[in-house]
Amino acid sequence: MPPILTRCTRAFSLSPPRPRSPPPPSPSPQGAVPSTIAASARWLTPRVVGEVAYRERTGSGLRHPSWRGLRFDRAVDDVIVPDD
């Protein structure tokens, strides 16, 4: 039985993959971000609105968040973050 590598076609390469260059840094919408996170972060522009129910906001995030779904009847610019 011939070795498996002889069955490979030109589509496969035995050389190691080329390293990818990191994406250029983008400004954070949240202000200052630690450099360890900012080095690999990719900030996106929101295009859809999602609804999340929660019990309360804490210093570290939301307490008991529950995903309710996408809201196609709302525009991104109409979203207001409540001040609990």
Side-chain angles (χ1 to χ4, degrees), residues 43-63:
W43 306 108
L44 305 174
T45 303
R47 295 187 182 171
V48 295
V49 175
E51 184 176 355
V52 176
Y54 57 91
R55 301 289 283 171
E56 66 178 326
R57 292 178 70 170
T58 64
S60 62
L62 302 176
R63 185 178 305 270

Side-chain angles (χ1 to χ4, degrees), residues 19-82:
R20 292 186 180 188
S21 60
S26 55
S28 165
Q30 302 296 322
V33 176
S35 60
T36 55
I37 295 173
S40 61
R42 186 71 175 216
W43 306 108
L44 305 174
T45 303
R47 295 187 182 171
V48 295
V49 175
E51 184 176 355
V52 176
Y54 57 91
R55 301 289 283 171
E56 66 178 326
R57 292 178 70 170
T58 64
S60 62
L62 302 176
R63 185 178 305 270
H64 305 294
S66 176
W67 175 252
R68 297 295 185 196
L70 293 175
R71 295 288 305 264
F72 296 107
D73 60 330
R74 303 278 190 226
V76 173
D77 297 332
D78 298 338
V79 174
I80 299 172
V81 179

Side-chain angles (χ1 to χ4, degrees), residues 2-9 12-14:
I4 294 175
L5 290 178
T6 60
R7 295 180 190 168
C8 292
T9 65
F12 295 100
S13 173
L14 296 177

